[in-house]
């Protein structure tokens, strides 16, 4: 067992890539909102799957196929427990959050959204929780309204409630902004939306990796996230769907495995969750996700959250004390996740990110796939530092040293 607070240096030792030097400098990886690094246990789980169990699950009666089915099912059970889903069949494997949201758009939305329906989104959405709904609205003649943000970077809940009075058919929102780090009160928003008669979709790509998630407590209809943002491989994701909602949705992709019977006259669908898992699945990704969940649970999700709050607090103090820095989003740690977007004077964020890279510090620059939010903030781009379990105060200090270098180069 690790001690009360998270031992970031001990955690770091579990991640082989973090020993890498970049431009001769220690790698300081602060691009975790884009993707996270993988601990040895996840890498080993994936290679162990291939060296011990690999076969196509659900398709054979031979020993390896049975083992592959068992490890695949076991990973689904781990996800189910991790997000506290009530049922095994409510957890559907996808290729990531984007795929999950598209599944909801095609599977549920195409069947249930009608012309003149209202779809409510927020201005802080990632493109993957905007574009599918724009396509759906265009297809059906539905209307989209965006809820804005306050000057503190919080959701404008007054406007949200006004829109609920218009009885929207669908409300889709991010649990945590990938730009501002704002954490939305998912339970409260889902409860209002449900009272208004809407189906709710929570984009949890930036929340499930960082905090305890309980889909039954949130009481959402759908919830989407990606494995690669929580220590697991790329190409695996989850859509949680309330059983009734998944049952009334139509298949998203079609082909093998998602059927019960196929005749020349037509086909019938497999039981949940397999109705939404057409074709050979990413079993090694699911196994890696299971191992990532084991790793995070051993750390304790409360400690993960506490660690990020501490880092956020430390980083905000440093950044706000530094000349020329503008930070966007909520200032207090309890209001935000470990994501900080900022600008330094009028230096372009790509220039900042390049200078930081020379110092071994990896950050993201640009619009962060959230252009409507960036426009709302009145900017064209920002630099983003985002933290995870292996980051430490020393990493923040390296970020500040590298920013000081940028300041010197641009004479700020
Ligand atoms: C809030 C949010 N939603 C959705 C996504 C899409 O995730 P993926 O690219 O893994 O499908 C991201 C990725 O950055 C995100 O930050």
């Amino acid at each position: 067992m690790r001690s009360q607070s998270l031992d970031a240096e001990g955690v770091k030792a579990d991640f082989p890539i973090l020993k890498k030097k970049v431009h001769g400098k220690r790698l300081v990886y602060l691009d975790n909102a884009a993707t996270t690094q993988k601990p040895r246990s996840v890498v080993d789980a994936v290679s162990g799957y291939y060296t011990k169990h690999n076969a196509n699950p659900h398709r054979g009666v031979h020993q390896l196929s049975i083992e592959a089915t068992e490890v695949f099912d076991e990973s689904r059970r781990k996800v189910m427990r991790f997000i506290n889903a009530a049922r095994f069949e409510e957890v559907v494997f996808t290729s990531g959050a984007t795929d999950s949201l598209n599944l909801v758009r095609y599977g549920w939305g195409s069947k249930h959204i009608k012309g003149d329906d209202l779809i409510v989104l927020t201005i802080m959405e990632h493109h993957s929780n905007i574009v599918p709904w724009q396509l759906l609205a265009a297809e059906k003649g539905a209307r989209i309204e965006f809820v804005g943000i306050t000057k503190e970077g919080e959701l404008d809940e007054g406007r949200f409630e006004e829109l609920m009075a218009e009885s929207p058919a669908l409300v889709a929102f991010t649990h945590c902004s990938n730009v501002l780090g704002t954490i939305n009160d998912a339970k409260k928003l889902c409860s209002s939306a449900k009272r208004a008669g809407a189906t709710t979709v929570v984009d949890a790509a930036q929340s499930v990796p960082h905090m305890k998630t309980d889909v039954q407590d949130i009481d959402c209809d759908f919830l989407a996230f990606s494995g690669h943002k929580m220590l697991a491989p790329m190409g695996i994701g989850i859509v949680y769907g309330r059983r009734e909602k998944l049952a009334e949705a139509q298949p998203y992709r079609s082909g093998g495995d998602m059927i019960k019977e196929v005749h020349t006259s037509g086909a019938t669908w497999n039981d949940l969750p397999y109705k939404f898992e057409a074709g050979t699945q990413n079993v090694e990704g699911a196994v890696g996700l299971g191992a990532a969940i084991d790793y995070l649970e051993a750390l304790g999700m409360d400690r993960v959250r506490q660690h990020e709050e501490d880092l956020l607090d430390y980083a905000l103090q440093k950044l706000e004390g530094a000349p020329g820095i503008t930070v966007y989003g909520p200032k207090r740690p309890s209001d935000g996740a470990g994501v900080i977007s900022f600008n330094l004077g009028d230096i372009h964020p790509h220039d900042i990110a390049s200078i930081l890279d020379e110092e071994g510090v990896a950050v993201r620059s640009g619009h962060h796939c959230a252009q409507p939010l960036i426009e709302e903030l009145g900017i064209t781009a920002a630099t983003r530092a985002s933290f995870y379990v292996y980051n430490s105060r020393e990493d923040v200090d390296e970020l500040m040293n590298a920013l000081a270098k940028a300041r010197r180069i641009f004479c700020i």
Side-chain angles (χ1 to χ4, degrees):
M1 257 326 255
R2 294 183 200 275
S3 63
Q4 235 357 56
S5 63
L6 202 146
D7 164 22
E9 291 308 324
V11 171
K12 210 171 258 184
D14 294 336
F15 290 72
I17 202 170
L18 296 178
K19 296 184 179 65
K20 186 179 162 87
K21 297 258 191 248
V22 171
H23 308 302
K25 307 275 167 53
R26 175 174 82 82
L27 170 62
V28 175
Y29 187 77
L30 298 177
D31 194 16
N32 294 288
T35 198
T36 58
Q37 300 303 344
K38 320 304 171 199
R40 169 66 66 198
S41 60
V42 167
V43 177
D44 287 348
V46 173
S47 94
Y49 168 71
Y50 280 119
T51 50
K52 296 195 199 102
H53 309 296
N54 177 51
N56 211 321
H58 307 301
R59 288 196 183 175
V61 290
H62 60 80
Q63 179 61 26
L64 280 184
S65 180
I66 293 165
E67 287 177 23
T69 305
E70 277 167 5
V71 293
F72 193 46
D73 286 352
E74 178 53 22
S75 296
R76 196 187 311 267
R77 272 190 290 275
K78 283 183 186 174
V79 174
M80 183 188 143
R81 286 194 295 269
F82 193 63
I83 60 170
N84 197 29
R87 298 174 188 86
F88 183 82
E89 63 263 35
E90 293 180 325
V91 176
V92 178
F93 283 116
T94 64
S95 69
T98 302
D99 193 36
S100 299
L101 292 163
N102 276 279
L103 186 153
V104 181
R105 172 254 195 267
Y106 283 102
W108 188 87
S110 283
K111 195 167 162 200
H112 291 92
I113 295 294
K114 304 178 299 298
D116 297 331
D117 273 350
L118 171 62
I119 296 172
V120 173
L121 308 176
T122 87
I123 201 71
M124 58 176 101
E125 299 312 310
H126 187 278
H127 296 162
S128 60
N129 202 25
I130 298 176
V131 183
W133 311 123
Q134 287 176 330
L135 289 171
L136 179 64
E139 179 190 318
K140 303 288 178 178
R143 174 168 64 102
I144 296 181
E145 291 284 348
F146 286 87
V147 180
I149 50 170
T150 64
K151 61 179 186 331
E152 288 80 29
E154 309 280 0
L155 191 73
D156 180 351
E157 291 193 8
R159 179 66 185 140
F160 184 86
E161 289 306 327
E162 274 171 27
L163 287 167
M164 291 309 104
E166 293 186 35
S167 304
L170 185 108
V171 175
F173 64 89
T174 189
H175 196 179
C176 177
S177 162
N178 67 314
V179 177
L180 302 174
T182 309
I183 298 170
N184 289 318
D185 187 340
K187 183 175 177 172
K188 189 170 157 196
L189 298 180
C190 284
S191 157
S192 284
K194 198 173 172 183
R195 269 198 310 278
T199 291
T200 50
V201 183
V202 180
D203 175 357
Q206 298 291 349
S207 60
V208 167
H210 304 281
M211 61 188 76
K212 228 178 212 159
T213 304
D214 183 335
V215 290
Q216 294 185 68
D217 183 53
I218 293 173
D219 203 18
C220 51
D221 293 316
F222 296 102
L223 181 133
F225 60 99
S226 294
H228 71 95
K229 293 185 196 285
M230 52 183 287
L231 312 179
M234 291 183 174
I236 188 78
I238 297 292
V239 64
Y240 156 82
R242 193 194 295 279
R243 184 169 56 180
E244 308 84 88
K245 290 287 173 183
L246 286 178
E248 69 186 30
Q250 63 192 8
Y252 163 44
R253 301 182 200 281
S254 51
D257 278 350
M258 50 74 69
I259 49 82
K260 194 158 265 169
E261 289 183 22
V262 181
H263 304 284
T264 50
S265 54
T268 53
W269 313 138
N270 203 345
D271 296 331
L272 294 174
Y274 311 112
K275 170 179 152 187
F276 295 103
E277 294 178 359
T280 299
Q281 296 295 297
N282 178 3
V283 183
E284 79 269 26
V287 168
L289 178 56
I293 288 173
D294 290 343
Y295 189 90
L296 287 169
E297 282 182 334
L299 294 179
M301 288 310 289
D302 287 338
R303 267 193 291 172
V304 169
R305 173 90 183 100
Q306 185 60 51
H307 177 69
E308 289 183 27
E309 277 184 21
D310 291 347
L311 274 183
L312 180 71
D313 194 19
Y314 182 72
L316 282 173
Q317 275 178 33
K318 296 268 175 183
L319 279 165
E320 284 168 355
I325 298 273
T326 307
V327 174
Y328 307 99
K331 304 285 182 284
R332 288 158 295 139
S334 55
D335 282 351
V339 175
I340 307 179
S341 290
F342 61 92
N343 273 315
L344 173 50
D346 57 4
I347 311 174
H348 196 281
H350 290 339
D351 292 334
I352 297 281
S354 299
I355 294 169
L356 265 51
D357 177 59
E358 283 168 17
E359 301 304 303
V361 179
V363 293
R364 174 96 186 258
S365 56
H367 55 54
H368 312 293
C369 300
Q371 248 181 321
L373 174 60
I374 293 289
E375 281 169 8
E376 178 89 353
L377 294 170
I379 53 179
T380 52
T383 305
R384 179 183 72 187
S386 50
F387 309 117
Y388 209 23
V389 288
Y390 33 72
N391 291 124
S392 58
R393 288 184 171 211
E394 287 69 35
D395 293 346
V396 176
D397 293 340
E398 291 299 338
L399 169 69
M400 296 312 299
N401 290 339
L403 285 172
K405 180 180 169 192
R407 212 179 285 113
R408 282 194 301 277
I409 291 173
F410 285 90
C411 304
I412 290 185

